[in-house]
Amino acid sequence: MTVNDDSFTNWMHREEIAESMIPIIGKLHREQDVNVLLHSRSLVNKSVVSILKTHRFARQIAGEELSVTETMPFLKALTTLDLGPSQIDIGMLAATYRSDGRGLSVEEFTAEAVAGATGDNKIERRASRDVVLYGFGRIGRLIARLLIEKAGSGNGLRLRAIVVRKGSGQDIVKRASLLRRDSIHGQFQGTITVDEANNKIIANGNEIQVIYSDDPTTVDYTAYGIKDAILIDNTGRWRDREGLSKHLQPGIGKVVLTAPGKGDVPNIVHGVNHDTVKPDERILSCASCTTNAIVPPLKAMADEYGVLRGHVETVHSYTNDQNLLDNYHGSDRRGRSAALNMVITETGAASAVAKALPELKAPITGSSIRVPVPDVSIAILSLRLERETTREEVLDYLRNVSLASPLKRQIDFISAPDAVSSDFIGSRHASIVDAGATKVDGDNAILYLWYDNEFGYSCQVIRVVQHVSGVEYPTYPAPAV
């Protein structure tokens, strides 16, 4: 047998194992509300090749490839336990088991590592929480996709309705079509049908009521069987408490804004300050995509090295606010063609740091350049640190943060030397540290942070909504503090 034959035989063996993982992962998700992860990446509803690629990606952050032959025993061990709702990272189980020298079996080690989610310790499965989307643009449709994807267990969050202004012609058919096909993020994973007579979109069995309204104060959501819902405002039309309070109509319990909030509206970056949300807070903001990209790594660097001052330069993909061709615009420069120019514009991300990370007293400045790409941006974070360090130390630290810290769902890490922006379309992290571009000279550090300003941000919004709705389940093994 040739070497190539050996490689192909090994591939087929791993394919067979990955294929056998799928029904186990699906059953844990549907019947016990357990989300199986691999280094913070969900394996639920993933294909055989996707599972294998996720295992292989581990080499980028952990230094060596992780094989399905290593993780499968831990997955099997989970099926023998009385698990409650939780997120369990089999990649972390395998990694920590390697370094555990007590001689425990895989079954014994797994039972101990996830003990907080078993038996008398497990939390009860909660009833689903209704969600309403106000607006159905780029972010709204991606949030809809995520909500539908996560509805498999029948618990957690349930998308009940979207509220839009009625357009001319086949409005609901056109909106369903935009949900079904996306030029950047690809096709919807599942089936979508339209019930025009009842103004409903049915996506993977989820009936979504389309409500037509130009004024939030005119909608009674209880008329559609919706109660105590979380309303996600994707329009950005209202930014302060007075304006957002218009959404607090019958059937709505909380309002979440997908844009920076003004005044006393809390700006929440999941992973950094989501635990400061008061239970009785009814209105909050998820800040901006750039704020979500820079605040987690900024916090990580401040915790370890201290930060005296910083500047963030964002090279941002163009947005729907800009003009396709030169035309009048209320803001300076944004009237010039987004597809043909680099456009200098303002960013509120630097000033928003103070709201999300008030303990950081260092001044942070910022500016932004819009460039002719439709998605994925990069933030160049230049920091003056309180102590000198080395590039190797910073990279080792950030790699570990991405693997085993409470910020591992926010910060990703890549060492590929040829990575470009399109490689990060669909990333579920708030930002990705580019190891090859990182520069450190004494007490100066420059981090290059990629981020999918559409999908990664939408994932952060969902995490905030899960937290405030009480369906954000604990992760095991518990991240290092």
Side-chain angles (χ1 to χ4, degrees), residues 49-116:
V49 171
S50 180
I51 290 173
L52 291 173
K53 285 180 70 175
T54 304
H55 278 74
R56 182 166 173 76
F57 185 80
R59 78 190 190 285
Q60 296 280 3
I61 47 181
E64 57 183 325
E65 186 172 341
L66 187 63
S67 173
V68 287
T69 59
E70 292 180 80
T71 57
M72 184 59 163
F74 295 95
L75 186 59
K76 286 182 176 178
L78 293 178
T79 64
T80 68
L81 301 174
D82 179 26
L83 289 168
S86 56
Q87 300 192 101
I88 299 179
D89 195 320
I90 57 174
M92 288 304 299
L93 282 174
T96 51
Y97 183 68
R98 284 178 188 171
S99 59
D100 186 80
R102 293 176 294 164
L104 299 176
S105 67
V106 167
E107 293 75 17
E108 292 169 334
F109 181 83
T110 302
E112 180 182 277
V114 303

Side-chain angles (χ1 to χ4, degrees), residues 305-320:
Y305 301 102
V307 172
L308 296 176
R309 65 175 179 269
H311 176 80
V312 60
E313 190 78 34
T314 68
V315 182
H316 199 291
S317 57
Y318 60 76
T319 70
N320 202 48

Side-chain angles (χ1 to χ4, degrees), residues 268-273 287-302 349-350 352-360 381 407 410-411 430-431 449 460:
I268 304 301
V269 175
H270 191 275
V272 175
N273 68 337
S288 71
C289 56
T290 301
T291 303
N292 275 265
I294 65 173
V295 167
L298 184 55
K299 173 177 169 52
M301 292 296 288
V353 169
K355 278 194 169 185
L357 202 59
E359 64 270 25
L360 181 71
L381 186 59
L407 291 171
Q410 281 70 45
I411 300 175
S431 61
L449 307 166
Q460 281 287 90

Side-chain angles (χ1 to χ4, degrees), residues 214-347:
D214 295 333
D215 182 353
T217 63
T218 64
V219 186
D220 180 353
Y221 294 94
T222 60
Y224 302 95
I226 297 169
K227 59 181 181 179
D228 195 30
I230 296 178
L231 183 145
I232 304 174
D233 184 328
N234 312 288
T235 68
R237 183 177 172 186
W238 303 277
R239 300 284 187 92
D240 59 13
R241 188 173 294 276
E242 180 182 1
L244 292 168
S245 293
K246 296 178 180 180
H247 291 302
L248 294 174
Q249 301 303 316
I252 301 300
K254 294 181 185 291
V255 178
V256 174
L257 171 66
T258 62
K262 295 181 178 180
D264 66 342
V265 175
N267 280 255
I268 304 301
V269 175
H270 191 275
V272 175
N273 68 337
H274 66 277
D275 56 354
T276 65
V277 179
K278 298 176 181 177
D280 60 350
E281 179 60 74
R282 301 189 71 188
I283 295 174
L284 55 97
S285 155
C286 289
S288 71
C289 56
T290 301
T291 303
N292 275 265
I294 65 173
V295 167
L298 184 55
K299 173 177 169 52
M301 292 296 288
D303 287 347
E304 179 67 18
Y305 301 102
V307 172
L308 296 176
R309 65 175 179 269
H311 176 80
V312 60
E313 190 78 34
T314 68
V315 182
H316 199 291
S317 57
Y318 60 76
T319 70
N320 202 48
D321 172 67
Q322 294 172 259
N323 290 334
L324 185 62
L325 295 173
D326 288 3
N327 206 348
Y328 173 81
H329 194 290
S331 298
D332 294 340
R333 306 187 204 244
R334 290 198 192 188
R336 302 300 298 278
S337 171
L340 298 175
N341 296 289
M342 293 189 291
V343 180
I344 298 174
T345 188
E346 71 280 352
T347 175

Side-chain angles (χ1 to χ4, degrees), residues 9-10 55 118 130 132 145 182 197 214 246 255 271 282 301-303 305 309 337 371 384 387 393 418 442 460:
T9 300
N10 178 263
H55 278 74
T118 61
D130 290 350
V132 172
R145 285 188 173 200
D182 190 288
D214 295 333
K246 296 178 180 180
V255 178
R282 301 189 71 188
M301 292 296 288
D303 287 347
Y305 301 102
R309 65 175 179 269
S337 171
V371 294
R384 176 76 181 275
R387 67 177 175 88
E393 182 188 344
D418 56 352
Q460 281 287 90

Side-chain angles (χ1 to χ4, degrees), residues 20 95 100 110 115 134 295 322-323 403 412 414 440 452 457 467:
S20 65
D100 186 80
T110 302
Y134 197 94
V295 167
Q322 294 172 259
N323 290 334
L403 277 171
D412 203 0
I414 189 166
V440 179
D452 185 328
Y457 175 68
H467 176 72

